[in-house]
Amino acid sequence: MKNTARLIAILSLSASVASCCQAPKSEGPVYLDDSQPIEARVEDALSRMTLEEKVKVIHAQSKFSSAGVPRLGIPELWTTDGPHGIRPEVLWDEWDQAGWTNDSCVAFPALTCLAATWNEDMSALYGKSIGEEARFREKDILLGPGVNIYRTPLNGRNFEYMGEDPYLASKMVVPYVQEVQKNGVAVCVKHYALNNQESKRHEYDAVVDDRTLYEIYLPAFKAAVQEGGAWSIMGAYNFYKGQHACHNEYLLNDILKGEWGFDGVVISDWGGTHETDQAITNGLDLEFGTWTDGLTMGATNGYDAYYLADPYLEKLRNGTASEDVLNDKVRRVLRLMFRTAMNNDKPAGSMCSPEHYDAARKIAGEGIVLLKNDNDVLPIDLSSAGKIAVIGENAIKMMTVGGGSSSLKVQHECTPLEGLIAAAGDRIVYERGYVGDVSGSYNGVVTGQDLSESRSEEQLIADAVALAKTADAVIFVGGLNKASHQDCEDSDRYHLELPYAQDKVIEALAEANPNLAVVIISGNAVAMPWIDNVNAVVEGWYIGSQMGHALADVLFGKVNPSGKLPFTFPAKLEDNGAHALNAYDPADLSVEYKEGIYVGYRWAEKQNIKPLFAFGHGLSYTDFTYGDAECAKASVKAGSNVIVSVDVTNSGKVAGKEVVQLYIGDDESSVDRPVKELKGFRKISLEPGETKTVTFTIEPDMLKYFDAAKHEWVLENGKFTAYVGSASDDIRTTVQFEVR
Ligand code: GLC
C-alpha cells in the first residue's frame, strides 16, 4: 500500500512539476501570438481566411490604405508618401487635403542631396529620422526611397533619386532601408524599373539590352532588396518588353522574386495596373490607385472594380485562376503586416523633434557641393564682411512644396534668406532679381507666401545690380523650383538652361561685383553660360526644413563643404549620351537606351567630353593631398581580393572631410568597358596637417561585367588599373594590378 501511495505521490508531483515548467499554452491563435515565428503566423492567418477576404487584402480600399481582415482582427495597411518626409493626410478617396492639424512634418533634404554626402552614416541617420516620423504617424509603408538612375538631366524626378552611378546609389540606399524598417515601417523602393523620364511615363516602353539593365539600372534595387532587406517595392508606370512594369514577368517574377529571392510585396504605382490577367500572373501583389474614383463606380464601391478585386474573384470562383497564385500574394501581404502593422515590438516613433531638425541640417551640410571657389570668395568672413546682398527668388520661396507626390506640409521651413539673416543679421539686404513661380499652392498645400511682383524684368535686374554694387559680397540664390517642368513629377524639363531669365541676372551681377557666389537650388544639372565670369558656385539642392541654416553654415564657413556630385553637369545637353544619340523621349514611345552602359561620366570619358562639372566633383575650404596608391599584391589569383591603400593628408588650414573615391578600369577586357567605374568611396575627416590611410578591398565581383549571352557576371583575368582621387576627373594616383 505504502509503495503504491508513494508511487502515486511521485507521479502526481512530477505531473504538477511538468505542468508548471511547460511554456503556458497561449490562449489565442498562432497568428496573434508574437512569440511565434512570422512564417507560422502567416500560414495560420492564411488558413483562416476566406476567398473573399484573401482578395480584399491585395488591393486598395482608399487612396492610401488597403484592407485587413476585420473578422480576424488583422488590421489595415496604411501607406504614405514620400522619400523626403511624411505627406499630409488626404481625404479617404481624394488627392485633396484632409485638413488635419497634426500632420505637419520635418522635410529632410531631397535624396540627391543625401547621395551627394557620399556618407552611408548620413543615409542611416536619414532613414532613422524619416522612419520615426512615419512610425509616429502610424504609417506602415513609406513610399520611398527612389533609386532610378539619372539618365537625362531633364528627368523631372531626378531630385527624388540618388544620381547616375549604380555603385553610389547601391551603397547609399541600404542604410536608409535598414533604418526605416527598424521602426516597423516598410520602405517601398521605387520606381522599379527604368522610370528614367517623366515624359509619357505611363506609355513609353524602355528598350534596354540586358547588360545595361544589369550593370546600370538594377543594382540599386538589388542592393535595397538583398542588402537592405526591403519589405516592399513599387512597380514603375512604363513598359518594359511590352509589359507594364507593375505586372511584368521579367522584372517581377524572373528577376526580383526569382533571381533576388524577394519575399516582400510588389505594390503598383498609383494607376500603374492596367489589366487583371497580367496582374495575376506577372508578380503584382498589392494594387493601388487604379483610376476608379473609389465610391461611385459600380454598385458598391470603386475599389471592388480594381483589377485584383471582383474581376479576380470571378476568375477564382469559376476556376480560371488558381488559388495557389492568390495565396502567394496573400502570404506576402500577411508577411508585410506581421513586419509592420501587427509587429507589437515597434518603437514609438517621433515627429518634428529637435533631433529630426538637427538631422536634416547635418545631412544637408554634408551634401551641399562647392562647385567653384576662385579667389576664395567663399566662405564669407562674417567677422569682417559689411553689407551682404542676397538676390533671387529662391532665397525666399518655400521649396518643401511642389514637385508632385513628394510635396510636403512642413511644421517649419527656414528659407535661404531667413537662414542668412539668422547668421549675419542686418548686414543682409535682399533684392528679388527675377520672378519665377508665384502660385503658392501645391497639392492643396497653401504656402501663404505672397510672391506677387509688379516690377518689370529689367527693373528687377536694375534694382539687384544697384544693390550688388554697394555690397561687400553678393549671394545669388536661384536654380529650379519644383514647379511644373522645373524638377517636377509627371513633367520633364524642356532644356538644360535656367528658367526665368536668371542667366541675365547672374551676368549682370558678375559685372557689378566680383565677390559673387551663385547658389543653384535644384535636383538636376543646369547650364551655366556665365561660369567663366562667376568666381564661386554652390549646388544647394532641395534641402527641406533646414535649407536656410544649412546654406548659411556653408556660405559663412561654419561647415566646411564636403559634398560631391552624384551626377555629371554636362556643359550642354548634347554632351549627355541619351541626348547625343537622340535616344530620349522619342515621339514613338519606344525609348531605346542607345547609350547602353555609357551613362553619365561613363559616356563623357568614353567620348572624351569635358563636363562642366564631373561626377564626384566637390571642393572644400581646405586642401587634400594624396600619397601614392599601393597594392598589397600586384598580382592576385582570380577569386581573391585586391587591397589598395593610399595616404590622404589635410594640407590646408581648416578641418575638413574628403570623399576618397576608387574607380577601376579593366585594361585587357575582351568586351567594351568604360574607362573606369566607381567601385569604392570613403568619407574621412581630417584636421589640418592630419594624415589618414584609406584602404579599399576590391572583391572579385567588383571587377566583373555582365555577360548577357551567358546571363551571368564574368571576371576576365588580366590587368586592371585602380584610380584613386577626389573626383572622377581629379584622379590623384593610380596603381595597376593583375588578376591571374
Ligand atoms: C505617384 C508617384 C509615386 C507615389 C504615388 C502615390 O504617381 O509615381 O511615386 O508614391 O503616386 O502618390
Side-chain angles (χ1 to χ4, degrees):
M1 183 52 185
K2 212 161 71 171
N3 283 344
T4 308
R6 189 181 304 141
L7 181 61
I8 289 169
I10 289 169
L11 283 176
S12 60
L13 177 64
S14 59
S16 59
V17 165
S19 64
C20 82
C21 298
Q22 250 174 352
K25 187 82 191 74
S26 67
E27 297 313 309
V30 165
Y31 76 95
L32 291 176
D33 178 353
D34 279 358
S35 67
Q36 299 291 330
I38 280 189
E39 292 316 309
R41 299 176 73 186
V42 166
E43 292 310 315
D44 182 44
L46 183 72
S47 69
R48 298 167 186 268
M49 291 166 71
T50 65
L51 193 68
E52 290 71 16
E53 288 166 339
K54 290 179 183 178
V55 169
K56 268 265 188 249
V57 303
I58 60 169
H59 61 83
Q61 65 171 7
S62 78
K63 197 54 96 186
F64 282 99
S65 74
S66 57
V69 187
R71 177 178 66 85
L72 297 176
I74 293 177
E76 304 163 333
L77 280 176
W78 280 87
T79 71
T80 180
D81 286 315
H84 310 145
I86 309 308
R87 182 175 183 156
E89 207 68 23
V90 298
L91 294 175
W92 180 259
D93 187 64
E94 310 290 339
W95 292 110
D96 297 343
Q97 292 298 303
W100 287 16
T101 56
N102 63 345
D103 57 352
S104 298
C105 69
V106 170
F108 298 96
L111 294 192
T112 26
C113 181
L114 172 59
T117 68
W118 291 56
N119 185 343
E120 290 156 276
D121 295 342
M122 290 298 105
S123 177
L125 176 62
Y126 197 118
K128 177 178 184 299
S129 307
I130 195 172
E132 288 169 348
E133 300 240 336
R135 174 72 194 96
F136 182 81
R137 291 268 282 101
E138 299 191 323
K139 303 299 182 182
D140 305 302
I141 304 170
L142 175 67
L143 301 175
V147 290
N148 290 101
I149 289 296
Y150 186 111
R151 173 176 184 253
T152 162
L154 305 186
N155 178 9
R157 295 186 84 174
N158 277 331
F159 72 96
E160 292 186 50
Y161 305 146
M162 298 189 180
E164 74 186 27
D165 183 85
Y167 182 87
L168 177 64
S170 298
K171 289 297 172 189
M172 293 303 290
V173 70
V174 169
Y176 181 116
V177 169
Q178 292 170 332
E179 288 301 318
V180 165
Q181 297 190 156
K182 282 180 186 169
N183 290 282
V185 175
V187 297
C188 186
V189 186
K190 66 189 187 182
H191 303 83
Y192 182 72
L194 299 164
N195 184 182
N196 305 102
Q197 64 183 58
E198 287 299 291
S199 177
K200 308 184 192 88
R201 64 174 175 163
H202 296 275
E203 295 97 13
Y204 77 85
D205 185 36
V207 180
V208 195
D209 65 276
D210 277 5
R211 182 176 175 205
T212 301
L213 180 69
Y214 277 79
E215 288 194 15
I216 302 295
Y217 295 100
L218 291 182
F221 288 102
K222 181 178 182 185
V225 166
Q226 293 197 324
E227 295 162 54
W231 292 338
S232 78
I233 290 276
M234 185 187 292
Y237 283 131
N238 50 277
F239 286 83
Y240 170 66
K241 288 189 174 176
Q243 294 177 3
H244 278 97
C246 285
H247 31 78
N248 189 296
E249 63 184 299
Y250 312 100
L251 295 174
L252 302 179
N253 289 349
D254 299 350
I255 298 172
L256 178 66
K257 296 178 178 179
E259 293 176 19
W260 299 350
F262 177 63
D263 72 352
V265 175
V266 173
I267 297 176
S268 74
D269 198 340
W270 269 237
T273 310
H274 296 271
E275 59 158 276
T276 293
D277 288 339
Q278 281 196 16
I280 294 170
T281 59
N282 291 1
L284 179 62
D285 301 309
L286 187 46
E287 178 186 358
F288 266 98
T290 296
W291 304 131
T292 71
D293 62 3
L295 284 175
T296 54
M297 267 187 71
T300 51
N301 79 40
Y303 294 99
D304 291 336
Y306 271 40
Y307 295 106
L308 287 182
D310 285 352
Y312 189 16
L313 191 53
E314 182 56 36
K315 287 175 178 287
L316 288 159
R317 283 180 177 146
N318 69 26
T320 54
S322 105
E323 190 161 352
D324 291 348
V325 172
L326 170 66
N327 286 341
D328 177 63
K329 299 180 196 296
V330 178
R331 281 195 180 90
R332 290 171 181 274
V333 173
L334 287 169
R335 192 171 297 130
L336 180 59
M337 287 171 169
F338 288 118
R339 288 167 165 168
T340 60
M342 296 182 77
N343 165 4
N344 298 317
D345 297 335
K346 291 180 296 212
S350 56
M351 192 98 184
C352 299
S353 62
E355 292 78 9
H356 292 173
Y357 281 101
D358 291 348
R361 185 168 183 168
K362 187 171 168 53
I363 294 160
E366 290 229 7
I368 290 170
V369 182
L370 180 59
L371 294 173
K372 183 180 179 185
N373 192 25
D374 291 355
N375 307 336
D376 291 337
V377 166
L378 292 176
I380 296 169
D381 180 355
L382 287 183
S383 65
S384 59
K387 186 193 292 185
I388 299 169
V390 175
I391 318 280
E393 181 177 282
N394 276 3
I396 61 171
K397 183 190 181 309
M398 281 182 74
M399 285 292 185
T400 53
V401 288
S405 57
S406 62
S407 179
L408 296 170
K409 175 171 81 174
V410 292
Q411 179 192 54
H412 180 65
E413 175 177 352
C414 174
T415 63
L417 184 62
E418 288 164 344
L420 295 167
I421 289 171
D426 56 10
R427 285 175 281 188
I428 299 289
V429 183
Y430 175 71
E431 265 298 336
R432 182 73 172 266
Y434 70 92
V435 174
D437 166 36
V438 296
S439 66
S441 169
Y442 307 86
N443 283 2
V445 174
V446 178
T447 62
Q449 292 192 302
D450 175 8
L451 295 176
S452 59
E453 173 61 60
S454 57
R455 289 173 288 176
S456 69
E457 180 183 297
E458 289 68 27
Q459 190 58 53
L460 284 163
I461 294 176
D463 293 349
V465 166
L467 171 63
K469 282 179 174 165
T470 67
D472 283 353
V474 181
I475 301 170
F476 174 85
V477 186
L480 308 176
N481 56 16
K482 299 203 287 187
S484 190
H485 300 287
Q486 301 300 342
D487 279 350
C488 183
E489 180 176 340
D490 209 17
S491 69
D492 286 346
R493 287 197 290 153
Y494 294 122
H495 49 67
L496 195 60
E497 283 64 37
L498 284 172
Y500 317 127
Q502 291 178 72
D503 291 337
K504 274 171 68 177
V505 187
I506 294 168
E507 293 284 6
L509 292 174
E511 187 75 28
N513 192 322
N515 285 335
L516 166 66
V518 169
V519 179
I520 298 294
I521 307 296
S522 73
N524 255 314
V526 296
M528 300 182 187
W530 33 263
I531 188 64
D532 294 336
N533 306 329
V534 172
N535 283 318
V537 184
V538 170
E539 173 56 51
W541 310 118
Y542 301 115
I543 285 177
S545 290
Q546 293 284 58
M547 169 84 101
H549 293 311
L551 277 177
D553 289 344
V554 167
L555 295 175
F556 297 140
K558 190 173 169 194
V559 167
N560 185 355
S562 60
K564 300 282 185 179
L565 289 179
F567 51 76
T568 307
F569 272 58
K572 56 188 187 305
L573 200 52
E574 301 65 52
D575 289 354
N576 166 284
H579 295 273
L581 301 174
N582 192 26
Y584 158 72
D585 194 25
D588 67 359
L589 295 180
S590 172
V591 182
E592 188 181 351
Y593 288 27
K594 292 177 185 166
E595 76 283 3
I597 60 175
Y598 296 101
V599 173
Y601 68 93
R602 290 169 167 83
W603 174 264
E605 294 183 350
K606 180 177 174 62
Q607 306 296 334
N608 280 317
I609 296 170
K610 183 174 174 5
L612 176 61
F613 295 109
F615 173 79
H617 171 75
L619 302 177
S620 172
Y621 292 146
T622 189
D623 297 307
F624 298 102
T625 50
Y626 286 60
D628 293 338
E630 290 169 5
C631 238
K633 277 192 229 158
S635 171
V636 295
K637 276 206 316 291
S640 46
N641 293 341
V642 176
I643 309 295
V644 171
S645 56
V646 62
D647 284 354
V648 181
T649 303
N650 179 343
S651 45
K653 300 185 178 59
V654 294
K657 294 182 179 179
E658 169 69 323
V659 178
V660 182
Q661 300 162 42
L662 167 77
Y663 297 82
I664 303 282
D666 185 343
D667 303 333
E668 295 180 335
S669 163
S670 66
V671 296
D672 209 49
R673 297 191 75 174
V675 169
K676 62 180 188 289
E677 301 175 86
L678 181 72
K679 295 295 179 187
F681 60 88
R682 193 80 39 74
K683 190 167 215 177
I684 55 172
S685 296
L686 291 170
E687 292 301 318
E690 185 182 8
T691 297
K692 279 182 182 167
T693 301
V694 176
T695 301
F696 294 104
T697 299
I698 302 167
E699 294 158 2
D701 282 354
M702 294 154 75
L703 305 175
K704 293 179 179 175
Y705 68 87
F706 187 78
D707 182 319
K710 295 177 184 166
H711 198 74
E712 61 183 28
W713 291 89
V714 167
L715 167 57
E716 284 185 331
N717 295 346
K719 293 189 175 64
F720 293 81
T721 298
Y723 303 79
V724 181
S726 186
S728 62
D729 69 342
D730 183 7
I731 297 303
R732 304 291 180 87
T733 175
T734 64
V735 62
Q736 205 171 46
F737 60 89
E738 184 173 11
V739 175
R740 293 189 306 279

